[in-house]
């Protein structure tokens, strides 16, 4: 091997050295704590799935293009999972007869998408997935949105930093039919144009709607929806199930004080073919970063891909680690240190038996204190340098004299304070 | 989609439903706690790596056969990682100038091997990787072995359940040279035969060694090594560095009381080309399961694959989740429940405003109690059934009367005891 291998990770993926890993463990720990306290159950599935799962949900072309996929020696077409929803739908379908609905499930899987790496988008990422299956009522939508708000609040985020934008796909369909006066097929065509509103030139948008028979006044009424609150908007079609769902949800948000984090936003659609009820996106309010961080909503019948005539509705969201980390750094919500910060290096001298140091370290560890003996035989000054550079908070020094006297020197590397005391007292002080 | 998709996970992979996931989180939590308390730092790397990494370590053929590999659109040959060592070597090499040696690192990555699934071997598995880099002394070997023992002890395993079998590759080479009287090249050839001792018929073994010039008496002396303790064995070549390392290690194991878990075993070799000093394997002592669960040892200069003239030695081991789980189940070391077990379902009636239940659940959660309101509008009996089936320990009942009176009924689903009390008192009791 004269040609040396590259030390770079594969394009679009990351190495997590200990400093970054501590951040991640804190980061995911906060999420786990919030979700577990809210009685969500964690699950996981395999990293490789049949490519057919993604083709059935998103179409053959998207599945092929956006996943890392290949054929195994048994001619099975496999993909590295690019999202968790098909896996969780498969799992729910697989034990549909024995599972105890409604399910409140979450997962924090790593996954891969084959795309050009850019800010907020990498090829390998982790995605927090939260879903409630088998509850059709607004209560599940509320619980789902509340969990997202509670996660962000647990990091210390407040209402000035993020906003949950909420709409409802049933309402969207009904209000468009009401304004355009179209039948189901006509409304579907109009919806497709409205879905593109921010992606195509205004003149094209107007023209396409006009071609579908909409008047200038009707188009203006659709425009007005983007500035309405939930009451005004739902007044246009008060009998729509979607309107009732929206009002119920916003009423409950208000009564629980969560309305401070939420707004009605007619611009939230999130893919025409997938969502069926409540849809929402969580926006970062920072001006330099103002965009949707993640979102979700209610979808029906994913389980139907696996089980004939099955109808289990779900509501959920997926939150990517990269975007969420950007948010936390932007709003300075990442602490400087994680954990208690107490970490003790037992330094080592030649005139004390090594096993005496090992016994000392064992006593510290048994007391739950993070501790290590210095591995090696370098001079005392080098051992201190190692401790400082490695983020140790304290050193315990036991030279020949201390060893003979049954004491240790405990030095706080922050304050540089040093005390000679018994091992018991050192442990008590460190705890 | 009239053809329904399969609900089975891909061959050799597993779905982790909430019950299995709780087991895993407990399982990995024990490992994390032991290693973090011992001041090991966690790291992680990408799931996809360049195939060249594995080819450079294990040869092109093994890398190709045993990994899931494919070529991306940029003609990069990629593999799903089948092990962590090449990744961690790459990471150490990548920041060699700034890292603070010695490093004590661990990781619990998921990985894939392309092999026939069988007991203890799956295609997707997790592997606890523990390594110490940059300390050449026996102290690192000891720390590494101690961490493995401490992990098993933390699960409640004792010396009757597992044994650490230890050898040393330098000693192995030296003692063979001493017995066979061969030069370096001759010893290498003899070693290759001895490495196959349990895999080939005895007659073939004897003949191959005889062909390399060994007498019957010399072969018998090698056989005797398999029954010797460390003192007897190292007395054959007391000046060997390997002998000294072995004695130092066993001396320290004795002085720290860890010798009760350890034996010297000349049969431990672990691949001739990779390990360079201490080697060890941890055996399950259960008669039905008696075999090596995992192992490791000292290896030199993996970092040399990436950086010219770099010499950083390491000592470490990799422990697979499947084998370790088998061990825990065999020895009945898996608890029946995980966590505190307190989990509260707030049941729901129509005559109390929903937001009153949400406020109650919030108070429980804010107190750190795992709690959920029943999602849906089913009858009381169905809500109780749900709670029992889902492992809730308590239900909190707040009907119209309790709501008016500012109290709740708290029912323990285990003892069936029921008390009417204020919300504060209920929280105090649950905590």
């Amino acid at each position: 091997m004269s040609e040396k291998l590259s030390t770079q990770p594969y394009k679009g993926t990351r190495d997590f050295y200990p400093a970054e890993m501590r951040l991640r463990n804190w980061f995911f720990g906060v999420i786990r704590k919030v979700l577990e306290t809210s009685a969500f159950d964690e699950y996981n599935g395999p990293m490789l799935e049949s490519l057919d799962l993604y083709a059935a949900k998103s179409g053959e072309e998207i599945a092929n293009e956006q996943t890392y996929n290949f054929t195994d020696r048994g001619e099975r077409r496999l993909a590295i999972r690019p999202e968790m929803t098909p896996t969780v739908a498969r799992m729910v379908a697989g034990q549909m007869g024995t599972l105890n609905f409604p399910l409140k499930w979450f997962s924090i899987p790593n996954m891969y998408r084959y795309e050009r790496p850019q800010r907020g988008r990498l090829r390998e990422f982790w995605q927090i997935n939260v879903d409630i299956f088998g509850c059709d009522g607004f209560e599940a939508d509320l619980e789902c949105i509340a969990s997202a708000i509670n996660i962000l609040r647990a990091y210390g985020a407040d209402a000035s930093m993020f906003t949950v934008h909420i709409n409802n796909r049933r309402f969207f369909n009904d209000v468009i039919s009401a304004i355009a006066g179209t039948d189901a097929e006509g409304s579907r065509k109009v919806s497709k144009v409205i879905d593109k509103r921010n992606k195509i030139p205004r003149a094209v948008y107007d023209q396409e709607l006009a071609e579908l028979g909409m008047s200038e006044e009707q188009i203006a009424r659709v425009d007005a929806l983007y500035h309405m609150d939930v009451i005004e908007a739902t007044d246009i079609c008060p009998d729509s199930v979607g309107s009732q769902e929206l009002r119920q949800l916003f009423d409950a948000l208000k009564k629980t004080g969560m309305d401070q984090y939420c707004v009605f936003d007619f611009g939230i659609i999130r893919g025409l073919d997938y969502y069926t009820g409540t849809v929402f996106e969580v926006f970062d309010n920072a001006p330099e970063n103002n965009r949707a961080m993640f979102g979700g909503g209610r979808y029906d019948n994913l389980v139907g891909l696996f089980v004939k005539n099955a109808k289990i509705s779900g509501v959920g969201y997926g939150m990517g680690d990269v975007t969420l980390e950007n948010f936390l750094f932007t709003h300075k919500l990442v602490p400087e240190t994680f954990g208690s910060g107490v970490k003790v290096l037992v330094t080592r001298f030649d005139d004390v038996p090594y096993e005496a140091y090992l016994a000392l370290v064992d006593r510290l560890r048994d007391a739950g204190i993070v501790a290590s003996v210095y591995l090696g035989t370098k001079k005392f000054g080098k051992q201190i340098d190692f401790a400082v550079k490695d983020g140790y908070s304290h050193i315990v020094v036991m030279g020949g004299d201390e060893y003979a006297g049954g004491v240790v020197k405990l030095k706080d590397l922050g304050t540089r304070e040093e005390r000679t005391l018994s091992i018991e007292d050192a442990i008590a002080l460190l705890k």
Side-chain angles (χ1 to χ4, degrees), chain A:
Chain A
M1 292 297 306
S2 62
E3 186 74 34
K4 295 295 173 185
L5 295 164
S6 165
T7 61
Q8 290 301 306
Y10 174 57
K11 190 177 176 183
T13 72
R14 292 163 288 174
D15 288 332
F16 301 103
Y17 286 85
E20 290 106 45
M21 199 66 196
R22 273 191 288 277
L23 169 64
R24 291 181 81 66
N25 281 345
W26 163 78
F27 178 74
F28 291 136
V30 168
I31 293 170
R32 277 212 170 81
K33 178 121 198 277
V34 169
L35 293 173
E36 285 175 356
T37 307
S38 300
F40 281 88
D41 290 317
E42 189 169 355
Y43 69 93
N44 199 359
M47 188 83 184
L48 288 182
E49 289 273 12
S50 166
L51 180 63
D52 297 344
L53 250 61
Y54 309 105
K57 187 191 159 204
S58 311
E60 189 76 29
E61 198 182 322
I62 288 181
N64 250 316
E65 257 177 35
Q66 298 187 349
T67 66
Y68 284 86
N69 58 74
F70 53 92
T71 302
D72 80 359
R73 286 166 215 153
E75 295 300 319
R76 296 176 195 87
R77 298 195 313 161
L78 300 175
I80 303 181
R81 62 183 171 203
E83 56 162 327
M84 202 60 178
T85 307
T87 297
V88 73
R90 180 178 63 65
M91 287 175 64
V92 171
Q95 297 201 359
M96 211 171 59
T98 53
L99 288 169
N100 191 30
F101 294 96
L103 310 175
K104 293 169 63 177
W105 279 13
F106 80 98
S107 190
I108 313 183
N110 54 339
M111 42 186 67
Y112 271 80
R113 276 191 201 152
Y114 203 139
E115 58 186 344
R116 185 179 299 278
Q118 51 180 291
R119 181 172 159 84
R121 277 180 196 272
L122 290 173
R123 287 178 168 180
E124 183 180 54
F125 59 100
W126 275 251
Q127 192 187 57
I128 298 94
N129 277 257
V130 175
D131 287 279
I132 300 175
F133 293 97
C135 170
D136 292 336
F138 79 98
E139 295 93 340
D141 306 40
L142 180 70
E143 176 84 348
C144 197
I145 291 171
S147 75
I149 293 172
N150 286 334
I151 287 171
L152 296 175
R153 286 178 57 212
Y155 289 117
D158 61 36
S160 74
M161 301 177 193
F162 70 93
T163 307
V164 185
H165 293 235
I166 300 172
N167 195 7
N168 183 299
R169 288 299 318 283
R170 265 186 274 267
F171 165 74
F172 179 85
N173 296 340
D174 291 344
V175 79
I176 284 174
S177 298
I179 291 174
T182 41
D183 60 6
E185 179 55 18
S187 297
R188 210 182 55 79
K189 287 179 181 162
V190 170
S191 298
K192 283 208 164 181
V193 179
I194 293 178
D195 187 30
K196 298 186 291 182
R197 188 170 177 264
N198 286 323
K199 294 167 203 144
I200 56 175
R202 180 67 202 202
V204 177
Y205 173 82
D206 286 340
Q207 192 191 332
E208 290 195 9
L209 288 182
E211 278 166 12
L212 292 168
M214 284 181 75
S215 67
E216 276 185 34
E217 187 261 341
Q218 285 173 323
I219 295 174
R221 284 185 68 197
V222 171
D223 283 335
L225 280 165
Y226 293 84
H227 307 287
M228 288 181 184
D229 66 22
V230 70
I231 301 297
E232 286 176 284
T234 53
D235 264 346
I236 298 172
C237 50
D239 296 332
S240 148
V241 173
S243 291
Q244 286 156 16
E245 287 174 346
L246 265 178
R247 287 186 169 207
Q248 238 177 343
L249 180 62
F250 272 88
D251 185 51
L253 287 169
K254 187 161 187 183
K255 284 177 174 155
T256 54
M258 281 188 286
D259 58 334
Q260 63 179 307
Y261 304 103
C262 302
V263 293
F264 168 73
D265 181 349
F266 190 70
I268 304 301
I269 299 178
R270 293 189 66 72
L272 278 175
D273 298 324
Y274 184 62
Y275 292 101
T276 53
T278 300
V279 280
F280 67 95
E281 290 183 358
V282 180
F283 279 68
D284 185 346
N285 292 346
E288 72 270 31
N289 222 11
N290 191 246
R291 62 196 179 115
M293 296 192 283
F294 64 94
R298 179 169 286 280
Y299 46 86
D300 284 339
N301 213 22
L302 266 182
V303 173
L305 293 172
F306 302 91
V307 183
K308 221 174 160 180
N309 299 325
K311 269 202 87 70
I312 295 174
S313 73
V315 54
Y317 60 90
M319 175 165 40
D321 65 331
V322 186
T323 325
L324 187 51
E325 258 191 43
N326 285 346
F327 172 80
L328 296 179
F329 277 110
T330 302
H331 295 278
K332 302 191 168 41
L333 296 172
V334 179
E336 288 198 8
T337 57
F338 309 103
S340 77
V342 171
K343 189 175 164 196
V344 181
L345 185 74
V346 175
T347 57
R348 183 182 169 192
F349 297 99
D350 287 342
D351 56 348
V352 173
Y354 187 54
E355 58 270 20
Y357 291 117
L358 292 175
L360 176 53
V361 161
D362 274 348
R363 287 185 62 180
L364 292 166
R365 290 175 181 173
D366 285 346
I369 296 161
V370 177
S372 187
V373 67
Y374 180 78
L375 290 178
T377 52
K378 287 200 175 152
K379 286 192 180 147
F380 186 64
K382 294 278 184 195
Q383 298 187 33
I384 306 264
D385 291 348
F386 171 82
V388 171
K389 195 171 169 196
D390 225 47
Y392 281 86
S393 63
H394 295 78
I395 54 168
V396 166
V397 181
M398 183 170 70
D401 290 346
E402 286 87 13
Y403 178 57
V407 293
V408 296
K409 274 189 200 150
L410 176 66
K411 180 166 183 168
D412 185 319
L413 291 175
T415 64
R416 313 197 69 79
E417 206 183 326
E418 188 178 290
R419 301 170 60 167
T420 299
L421 68 189
S422 71
I423 295 171
E424 298 80 52
D425 288 346
I427 288 173
L429 203 68
L430 287 165
K431 289 192 86 170

